[in-house]
Amino acid sequence: MSYGTHHNKDVSGYWKANVRIIIGCLIVWAICSLGFAILLRPALMGITFMGTDLGLWFGQQGAILTFVALIFFYAWRMNRLDKEYGVEED
Amino acid sequence: MSQFVINLIFVGLSFALYFGIAIWARAGSTKEFYVAGGGVHPVVNGMATGADWMSAASFISMAGMIAMNGYFASAYLMGWTGGFVLLALLLAPYLRKFGKFTVPDFIGDRFYSKGARLIAVVCLILACTTYVIGQMTGAGVAFSRFLEVDKNTGLIIAAIVVLFYAVLGGMKGITYTQVAQYVVLMIAYIVPAIFISMNITGNPIPGLGMFGTTADGTTMLTKLDGLITDLGFTAYTADVPDKLNMFLLALSLMIGTAGLPHVIIRFFTVNKVSDARSSAGWTLVFIALLYTAAPAVGTMSRMNLVETIYPNGTTSAPIDYEVRPEWMKNWEQTGLLKFEDKNGDGKINYYNDKSKDEAFLANATQQGLQGNELDVNNDIMVLANPEIAQLPGWVIGLIAAGGIAAALSTAAGLLLAISSAISHDLIKTILKPTISDKGELTAARISMIVAIAVATWLGMNPPGFAAQTVALAFGIAGSSLFPALMMGIFSKRINNKGAVAGMLAGLIVTCVYIFLFKGWFFIPGTATLPDDATGWIMGINPLGFGPIGAVINFVVAFAVSYMTAPPPKEIQDLVESVRYPKGAGAAVDH
């Protein structure tokens, strides 16, 4: 196997872009779960949503829906990035 | 037809389905299924991984935890799903590109060290065996109820079935069997949930019904809060003052999910790196179907329980023990539901006698109550749910089949991970490379039997409810394997010495912390410190220790690596190569 020699574009740019997308997604991941549902819940308790408060809804449903959306967003975004840098699979 | 016979028919039919599929998948076109890459579609792989993932803890125990712990249990819901984001972003695509078979394979190769591989095997065995204890506890509960035997007999029957099943299911057709198990366990979970949600809120979608309105105009959660606070329990939606432990528990389950070997290896089997990313998404879709219904099942079963005991409202008298419903009598036989008439009035006085509210307790005493008289094990809530809600007999049979499917599919996946680590990584790669194929297979089978025996013995006196025991397994995986895998991909500087020191530090500190409170090696009666807030060091619950162990792992690994020589060029090239999807080729089948 040849390592990293057959790329026609700047491959370190690809990795940096990947890491940037990962960090962005992880920030959303953390805010919607550990944030809204746990640490920030006291601040959100006053907001009524779906027959309960926003923090509880995130804890029991909202965070899970966010996770699903995040993974599909990441998969879609990475497929585009793979093509941009020409590192997609054959 | 008696309920017992209906249960047997449903469980029997579902078993016939699994074995039928296993035989069909094997006898069909083996080459198509098992050649390189397998061509398992991401959606199919997602469904199978969902079944592999959703265990007795998810199916049987989680809703009970939610019912009794309320908002705090959100940590379980988020923890067991949030880990898939970490898996999809940080591990799955890169491990797929690496293209080997097991987790110790990656750690051994990336850290060019037999020691690292060996430690990875030890971490894997500790995490997976602890996890199997949780499965056995859950499966034991299901069998004891539906075969109408006591808890330990149920556990032993479960062990025999799991062993038989794992040896048979250990064949490669397992993916399709797990798809069938997913369908069975999902139908079994959702059908009763729909009925109950319809009864209480009129909304057929449980995930929405939970946030809906009941017949008397109040919202479902408000009504539940009212009922249980009347009985001296904490409101379901009440905030938890101990944010630290809730935060740590959620995070621990997340990194543990991403570090558990039996899930990671599922992403070795898809065709392409891009499929590894989306397959994690599909897995989570299938898991979310159950996980968004779970809080509804939990809250509604709690409400049904209270309304069964206090049919005329919580301010009036509870029912007489003599006229208790049939389901209570059934569960009493298992020992998981107990009644003791402390004040001799013949009524089931169910309330929170450990309430911190002095006025409430004084009032209870004044009414002649001498303590709570009904003891309900969390783990029975889901299984008892259809009976509590008076659903037809076939629904009860269905949920029996589903609970057993959930426990079996996960136990089989875990036992495969354990046996392949011992036979492939430990014996074949490290101890005795000359071993024959037949010898390797024998070693795999023996290690499976030993793992089940240990898990069964410990399952008789589990360190917690199924869901809690499982949480401990996640702490172990999250503090040892997850950081090592992540550093192996995201840092070129971590060398063999750093990785070994980091994994050892994370694993030992986490295990010692857990054993201090849960008993050494989970042996009952050997705990050093009391397992409550008074004993916890710096107030940290052992269930949530995973992230602390992980941080220790990261810090030690970086410190040792930077004090020693960087990894050789070819290892740095290996790290470079796993970062780019191009040239992944087909995964090799093992």
Side-chain angles (χ1 to χ4, degrees):
Chain A
M1 202 192 293
S2 62
Y3 293 131
T5 51
H6 52 287
H7 306 304
N8 46 11
K9 277 196 184 178
D10 168 25
V11 286
S12 73
Y14 169 82
W15 183 246
K16 279 185 191 136
N18 179 10
V19 171
R20 266 200 306 277
I21 297 169
I22 291 175
I23 291 172
C25 289
L26 287 184
I27 289 172
V28 176
W29 167 83
I31 290 178
C32 289
S33 53
L34 303 170
F36 289 163
I38 302 178
L39 298 180
L40 300 174
R41 186 176 178 222
L44 299 175
M45 290 263 281
I47 305 172
T48 309
F49 185 74
M50 298 276 289
T52 181
D53 66 280
L54 189 64
L56 185 92
W57 180 77
F58 262 102
Q60 311 229 304
Q61 205 168 59
I64 300 176
L65 301 178
T66 313
F67 297 153
V68 172
L70 268 177
I71 297 179
F72 282 111
F73 167 77
Y74 178 75
W76 167 79
R77 187 70 190 77
M78 286 308 291
N79 285 346
R80 254 185 38 183
L81 196 72
D82 288 351
K83 287 204 181 71
E84 265 172 51
Y85 282 86
V87 296
E88 81 274 22
E89 292 150 279
D90 312 311
Chain B
M1 204 182 326
S2 77
Q3 186 61 50
F4 181 67
V5 176
I6 298 176
N7 294 342
L8 282 187
I9 291 173
F10 270 84
V11 173
L13 280 178
S14 63
F15 270 74
L17 178 68
Y18 311 144
F19 289 135
I21 290 174
I23 291 164
W24 165 76
R26 219 179 319 158
S29 45
T30 4
K31 273 187 183 165
E32 276 170 27
F33 286 141
Y34 312 132
V35 285
V40 179
H41 192 274
V43 177
V44 175
N45 190 51
M47 207 181 264
T49 312
D52 205 339
W53 177 244
M54 286 189 289
S55 58
S58 293
F59 188 95
I60 298 172
S61 195
M62 189 172 65
M65 295 276 294
I66 297 169
M68 297 306 171
N69 293 312
Y71 157 71
F72 176 80
S74 308
Y76 288 93
L77 288 166
M78 293 189 290
W80 281 333
T81 50
F84 281 90
V85 178
L86 299 179
L87 198 57
L89 273 53
L90 302 177
L91 303 181
Y94 316 107
L95 294 177
R96 170 61 193 84
K97 172 70 191 289
F98 173 68
K100 287 274 185 77
F101 323 125
T102 67
V103 169
D105 261 338
F106 177 78
I107 290 179
D109 285 7
R110 162 63 183 84
F111 298 113
Y112 48 101
S113 149
K114 276 189 179 175
R117 184 188 285 263
L118 183 66
I119 294 163
V121 170
V122 171
C123 298
L124 186 153
I125 291 172
L126 274 173
C128 291
T129 307
T130 311
Y131 200 170
V132 177
I133 301 172
Q135 298 310 306
M136 298 313 293
T137 315
V141 170
F143 277 100
S144 79
R145 167 63 188 88
F146 296 114
L147 299 179
E148 298 176 9
V149 291
D150 78 63
K151 189 172 62 114
N152 285 351
T153 314
L155 191 58
I156 290 167
I157 296 172
I160 294 166
V161 174
V162 167
L163 189 62
F164 179 70
Y165 179 82
V167 170
L168 240 164
M171 312 300 169
K172 294 169 183 173
I174 193 160
T175 300
Y176 291 91
T177 313
Q178 283 180 331
V179 169
Q181 284 173 327
Y182 176 83
V183 174
V184 169
L185 80 88
M186 205 56 221
I187 292 175
Y189 204 84
I190 290 296
V191 168
I194 290 173
F195 272 112
I196 294 164
S197 182
M198 284 289 282
N199 281 347
I200 294 181
T201 65
N203 193 326
I205 301 168
L208 295 176
M210 178 194 170
F211 300 106
T213 313
T214 57
D216 61 14
T218 49
T219 63
M220 157 68 206
L221 290 175
T222 313
K223 186 172 177 191
L224 176 68
D225 279 352
L227 286 175
I228 59 180
T229 47
D230 280 352
L231 299 175
F233 296 100
T234 312
Y236 181 85
T237 59
D239 202 21
V240 173
D242 187 359
K243 292 284 178 198
L244 172 73
N245 277 318
M246 189 170 168
F247 180 90
L248 286 176
L249 174 61
L251 194 56
S252 184
L253 298 178
M254 286 166 172
I255 62 176
T257 297
L260 270 170
H262 76 293
V263 182
I264 295 176
I265 54 176
R266 310 267 352 179
F267 296 98
F268 290 95
T269 63
V270 290
N271 251 343
K272 298 191 298 184
V273 172
S274 57
D275 286 351
R277 296 180 193 130
S278 67
S279 190
W282 285 111
T283 304
L284 193 54
V285 167
F286 292 118
I287 292 171
L289 285 174
L290 189 143
Y291 272 55
T292 50
V297 171
T299 49
M300 291 172 186
S301 64
R302 183 109 190 250
M303 193 146 118
N304 279 329
L305 175 72
V306 172
E307 291 190 325
T308 303
I309 298 169
Y310 293 92
N312 302 311
T314 41
T315 47
S316 52
I319 55 166
D320 286 332
Y321 179 67
E322 285 310 316
V323 300
R324 69 195 184 283
E326 200 62 29
W327 68 266
M328 283 195 174
K329 294 177 193 162
N330 293 334
W331 282 100
E332 275 176 279
Q333 290 174 11
T334 65
L336 295 165
L337 184 134
K338 293 187 195 101
F339 171 76
E340 186 195 343
D341 195 358
K342 289 178 181 163
N343 63 353
D345 67 353
K347 293 183 182 301
I348 302 175
N349 294 302
Y350 174 64
Y351 70 103
N352 183 13
D353 56 6
K354 294 184 183 66
S355 168
K356 298 253 180 349
D357 186 347
E358 297 293 334
F360 172 81
L361 290 180
N363 186 30
T365 314
Q366 204 182 2
Q367 287 177 15
L369 306 186
Q370 291 173 11
N372 175 40
E373 299 177 349
L374 185 72
D375 180 19
V376 185
N377 183 305
N378 282 355
D379 283 353
I380 75 172
M381 289 306 279
V382 168
L383 299 178
N385 212 10
E387 298 167 281
I388 301 176
Q390 296 172 334
L391 299 181
W394 64 269
V395 179
I396 298 165
L398 187 63
I399 209 161
I404 290 166
L408 287 187
S409 59
T410 307
L414 289 165
L415 289 167
L416 280 176
I418 293 172
S419 64
S420 70
I422 292 177
S423 59
H424 176 83
D425 294 299
L426 188 66
I427 296 177
K428 176 88 178 171
T429 315
I430 299 177
L431 292 180
K432 198 179 171 201
T434 55
I435 193 168
S436 67
D437 279 358
K438 207 175 156 213
E440 199 182 328
L441 201 63
T442 310
R445 289 210 171 108
I446 293 171
S447 51
M448 235 180 220
I449 294 168
V450 173
I452 290 196
V454 171
T456 307
W457 183 64
L458 290 169
M460 290 188 181
N461 293 290
F465 297 114
Q468 291 177 331
T469 309
V470 166
L472 298 175
F474 284 69
I476 295 170
S479 62
S480 57
L481 295 172
F482 173 74
L485 291 169
M486 209 188 135
M487 286 184 288
I489 294 160
F490 286 85
S491 167
K492 290 185 191 170
R493 188 60 182 80
I494 300 294
N495 60 20
N496 51 353
K497 295 188 181 70
V500 167
M503 277 194 290
L504 277 180
L507 177 71
I508 292 170
V509 173
T510 306
C511 284
V512 166
Y513 195 83
I514 289 172
F515 290 156
L516 274 175
F517 301 99
K518 301 284 177 187
W520 292 87
F521 300 95
F522 300 127
I523 296 164
T526 58
T528 312
L529 293 168
D531 188 15
D532 54 42
T534 58
W536 299 338
I537 297 162
M538 291 170 65
I540 296 165
N541 187 331
L543 291 181
F545 195 77
I548 313 237
V551 169
I552 292 169
N553 186 337
F554 280 117
V555 170
V556 170
F558 272 96
V560 172
S561 293
Y562 279 89
M563 283 188 286
T564 47
K569 178 78 171 62
E570 68 264 24
I571 297 298
Q572 299 194 21
D573 288 344
L574 169 72
V575 177
E576 186 75 19
S577 87
V578 300
R579 293 178 175 182
Y580 306 102
K582 203 177 183 83
V588 193
D589 192 53
H590 79 306

